[in-house]
Amino acid sequence: MVTETFPPEINGVAMTMGRMVGGLRARGHQVQLIRPRQHSAEVAADEPGFQEILVSGFPIPRYDSLRMGLPAGAALARLWRVNRPDVVHVATEGPLGWSAVSVARRLGIAVASDFHTNFHSYSRHYGIGWLRRPIEAYLRHFHNRAQVTLVPTDELQRDLAKAGFRHVAVLSRGVDTKLFDPRWRDAALRESWGVEPKGRVVLLVGRLAPEKNLELAIVAFHAMCAVDPSLRLVLVGDGPQRETLRRRCPGALLAGMRTGTELARFYASADLFLFPSLTETFGNVTLEAMASGLAVVAFDCAAARAHVRDGINGLLVPVADAARFVQRATELVATPEKAVGLGREARATAQALDWERIHDQFGDLLDGFASNGRRADRPGKPDDSGGAGLFV
């Protein structure tokens, strides 16, 4: 498993990779995790069935809390010639990931990749929109060197196929419904936010960055306040737009990064969830909000398209229709009983999205590549052998 990010770093890729590694280990596979060192004093884990290899890296521009791995082809070749894995799974497309794909192909080891992040879509939000095509070309070349590219939705599979990506397969995402649960609702926490017992909280969770389209959420919140002036806005996360958002909405609570049960309490103690992003490959926070019993307003893409049924367990908005997003958010405030019903159905939907099923599928898929040969230039086809004991 090769990735530029991993827990305790906080982002969707790290969370998903942490889950996948845990799922493989629980099923008896041996996992070697290769990633950049997160801090100078970090010690690599070395446990039965699990080994970490920490490599050098450098901070990602505008994402200083994350590091990109430096090329490590020679080191990986030495490592894998001595202890050859059955499958190499590459989660990120940086120099470290490129090295891993190259070495796996050269050694004839089966190689799979993940498409987690729409970096080409991010480019216009950082003043480098002119790089969109070159970035997309790089990503296409990177992933087409793998035997398969895993994506979380049918929608993304279709989009990448149209863009020339080959051998794209869907492996969905799950949600921890034991952690994200309405039972974590905390009256004392709500009181600390200055919310009356019958007051309502609008929640946003994620990186506070331009690509998340948070300006639209602020516009929507102001419109919602015209219906219910007592609404409270809570933003969980951090990023370069923090101070901008503070100025745009002085009454909002910027709670910073939260994890684990603390994050679960924030979700469960809110009432409405806005997700205005248009750049997600999935958007784990959508499922976390649904599992927590919140009424969700989101654009009809990514996780929302896959799991939200408009008017039944949430509200969907046509992609990029900002005016409609504001209208539907306002509608949710004006009909509190409807919001409660949507949240109840959202929770029921989330309970069927179990991580264990996803882990089974992932293990079987990797086993299929190992069983069908390890030539990196020949697409593997998962079989039904259901074998265990891979070295990933």
Side-chain angles (χ1 to χ4, degrees):
M1 305 284 281
V2 182
T3 178
E4 253 93 3
T5 183
F6 197 73
E9 293 172 332
I10 302 172
N11 59 75
V13 180
M15 184 280 289
T16 300
M17 288 301 294
R19 288 277 180 187
M20 292 303 191
V21 167
L24 289 175
R25 294 182 66 189
R27 283 154 181 76
H29 303 296
Q30 295 182 53
V31 178
Q32 182 183 78
L33 179 69
I34 300 169
R35 61 174 179 82
R37 188 180 300 276
Q38 294 175 1
H39 55 83
S40 59
E42 187 174 19
V43 177
D46 190 359
E47 306 165 5
F50 181 63
Q51 178 192 32
E52 280 187 317
I53 306 295
L54 303 183
V55 300
S56 298
F58 59 94
I60 299 176
R62 302 208 184 199
Y63 284 78
D64 292 342
S65 62
L66 301 179
R67 302 185 68 80
M68 185 174 289
L70 291 169
L76 294 179
R78 287 194 299 270
L79 185 68
W80 293 341
R81 284 193 179 104
V82 173
N83 195 11
R84 181 188 178 91
D86 296 298
V87 182
V88 170
H89 182 77
V90 182
T92 52
E93 300 98 343
L96 176 61
W98 182 274
S99 295
V101 173
S102 298
V103 172
R105 285 171 58 88
R106 190 161 67 246
L107 297 180
I109 301 169
V111 57
S113 67
D114 281 339
F115 192 97
H116 281 285
T117 307
N118 285 315
F119 287 114
H120 53 300
S121 297
Y122 282 19
S123 61
R124 67 184 180 88
H125 297 285
Y126 289 92
I128 54 171
W130 55 277
L131 284 176
R132 178 187 173 100
R133 287 183 181 275
I135 292 172
E136 183 176 313
Y138 169 79
L139 294 173
R140 180 170 52 246
H141 184 51
F142 180 99
H143 288 284
N144 284 349
R145 298 170 76 227
Q147 291 174 260
V148 70
T149 295
L150 302 179
V151 297
T153 66
D154 294 335
E155 173 194 13
L156 185 56
Q157 181 188 44
R158 290 190 296 269
D159 289 346
L160 292 184
K162 289 178 183 177
F165 289 68
R166 299 190 298 268
H167 314 305
V168 182
V170 176
L171 181 72
S172 189
R173 304 268 176 84
V175 63
D176 186 344
T177 56
K178 293 180 181 177
L179 175 61
F180 299 105
D181 188 316
R183 68 187 174 86
W184 289 108
R185 193 169 181 87
D186 187 334
L189 179 61
R190 285 171 57 84
E191 185 178 354
S192 74
W193 295 342
V195 181
E196 297 294 329
K198 293 186 178 181
R200 287 179 292 176
V201 174
V202 179
L203 181 69
L204 283 83
V205 178
R207 180 168 166 78
L208 306 184
E211 70 271 12
K212 300 299 184 180
N213 201 22
L214 297 175
E215 287 285 340
L216 177 58
I218 299 300
V219 171
F221 178 72
H222 288 317
M224 296 163 80
C225 287
V227 178
D228 181 359
S230 69
L231 286 176
R232 184 78 156 115
L233 177 63
V234 175
L235 294 93
V236 175
D238 207 350
Q241 276 198 314
R242 180 184 178 91
E243 292 309 313
T244 300
L245 295 170
R246 187 191 301 278
R247 290 192 300 270
R248 290 278 287 110
C249 195
L253 171 65
L254 280 80
M257 305 291 277
R258 307 284 168 157
T259 59
T261 56
E262 187 179 29
L263 176 59
R265 278 196 293 271
F266 269 74
Y267 273 115
S269 300
D271 302 281
L272 312 171
F273 187 79
L274 301 183
F275 193 60
S277 178
L278 287 163
T279 59
E280 305 300 314
T281 58
F282 190 71
N284 295 311
V285 296
T286 301
L287 289 190
E288 291 168 0
M290 293 176 70
S292 301
L294 301 186
V296 173
V297 182
F299 285 113
D300 187 12
C301 58
R305 173 174 287 186
H307 298 296
V308 173
R309 293 169 292 157
D310 186 46
I312 297 175
N313 63 357
L315 297 181
L316 287 177
V317 180
V319 171
D321 190 339
R324 183 62 171 158
F325 187 95
V326 174
Q327 179 186 3
R328 299 225 73 183
T330 307
E331 169 191 326
L332 203 57
V333 176
T335 54
E337 67 288 343
K338 179 178 181 179
V340 171
L342 294 175
R344 187 181 304 114
E345 289 300 318
R347 170 66 183 173
T349 298
Q351 286 179 302
L353 303 174
D354 183 62
W355 268 115
E356 294 304 310
R357 177 176 56 86
I358 307 300
H359 294 325
D360 287 341
Q361 292 174 355
F362 185 47
D364 289 347
L365 184 144
L366 295 182
D367 182 65
F369 294 136
S371 299
N372 283 299
R374 299 181 176 87
R375 282 181 52 84
D377 58 350
R378 183 180 66 197
K381 296 180 181 179
D383 63 13
D384 296 321
S385 61
L390 290 176
F391 172 31
V392 184

